[in-house]
Each structure stands twice: as structure tokens, then as C-alpha cells.
Amino acid sequence: MTAELVKKGQSPEKTKQLFQILNGYGICPMSMMMHHDGQPLVSRGNLYGLLNQVNFLRRSGSVSVQVTILTPSVGSKGYEEAYEKGMVINQAADHKLEDYQYDGNHCIATEDPSPWKKQMTCTWAMPASTTR
């Protein structure tokens, strides 16, 4: 909604209006977001923070919100860059990264010096996204 990574013409006002229309016709909006490096858990006075966005979507009528982590995907613009920058995690402690973990639910690529914090940020957003 803040158009930091992808500009699709979406805005908070348009989202709120669309969700009201959808709900009016009995269609339940189900939002999906990607959490990315540099995005805080909470921000003041704007919608940049992850929880700020989740809470806004819920207040605007979204019946659910799925939060995933930006992951290098084959064919995507940032795929090679993540490997070139050394962002992709091959192993955490004694756990080798498995193919199934490239699903957006696991923090497998980040510039954050503490990848577990990025994983926890997504985890902390989930209770806010699943309860109404």
C-alpha cells in the first residue's frame, strides 16, 4: 500500500473504497502482503510498518491477511541479485535450507544481520492478521 517496491496504482483510499464495495456485494476481501527488508514492524503516523498495514486492512474490511516474506523466486527481477549480494541463507546453525522453505513463509534471504528477527516480525504480524 505504500508503493515502496511495486507501483500498481494502489492507495489506502482506493483499498478502503474497494473493500467496502466488495463487502457490500457479499465478497470477502482476503489480502496478501510481502514483508521486505527495511520495513519495520510498526511505524508512527504512516502505513509503512507491517502491523500498521495489517491493522488498516482489517479495519477496511479484509476478512484475512496473509503476510509472506520477500523471497528470491526464479524469473523474478531480484532473483540473481539476492545470490550475488550473498543474501540467501544456505544453512542456519546445523539446519540446511530445504527446497520447501522457498515458500515465502521462511526468511531465507535478507540483508538483516539477524534473520531470525525478520522471521519473527512476520510471525508477530500473524495474530493481528487472523483475528477479527
Side-chain angles (χ1 to χ4, degrees):
M1 286 188 305
T2 58
E4 294 290 323
L5 294 178
V6 180
K7 295 182 182 4
K8 293 184 176 183
Q10 185 178 354
S11 70
E13 296 77 25
K14 289 179 184 177
T15 300
K16 190 179 235 182
Q17 182 181 22
L18 176 62
F19 284 7
Q20 288 173 350
I21 293 167
L22 289 171
N23 278 300
Y25 283 101
I27 300 170
C28 299
M30 302 169 118
S31 304
M32 180 184 171
M33 300 172 26
M34 278 196 271
H35 180 46
H36 59 86
D37 275 355
Q39 183 181 25
L41 180 63
V42 178
S43 60
R44 277 187 173 228
N46 59 44
L47 289 176
Y48 192 61
L50 183 61
L51 288 181
N52 300 72
Q53 291 181 12
V54 168
N55 290 331
F56 172 81
L57 291 168
R58 297 303 302 225
R59 283 191 314 270
S60 296
S62 185
V63 297
S64 69
V65 180
Q66 178 184 2
V67 179
T68 59
I69 299 175
L70 187 58
T71 302
S73 301
V74 175
S76 68
K77 185 177 179 180
Y79 179 73
E80 291 177 7
E81 181 182 6
Y83 285 93
E84 290 167 358
K85 285 184 163 182
M87 294 172 53
V88 180
I89 300 166
N90 294 319
Q91 186 168 325
D94 59 345
H95 300 284
K96 186 172 173 15
L97 189 69
E98 301 289 338
D99 288 342
Y100 75 89
Q101 292 170 310
Y102 283 78
D103 61 359
N105 294 312
H106 298 86
C107 180
I108 58 121
T110 182
E111 292 183 306
D112 193 309
S114 302
W116 67 271
K117 290 180 183 176
K118 182 70 49 196
Q119 183 70 53
M120 290 307 298
T121 298
C122 257
T123 304
W124 290 326
M126 294 317 293
S129 66
T130 56
T131 58
R132 194 144 166 118

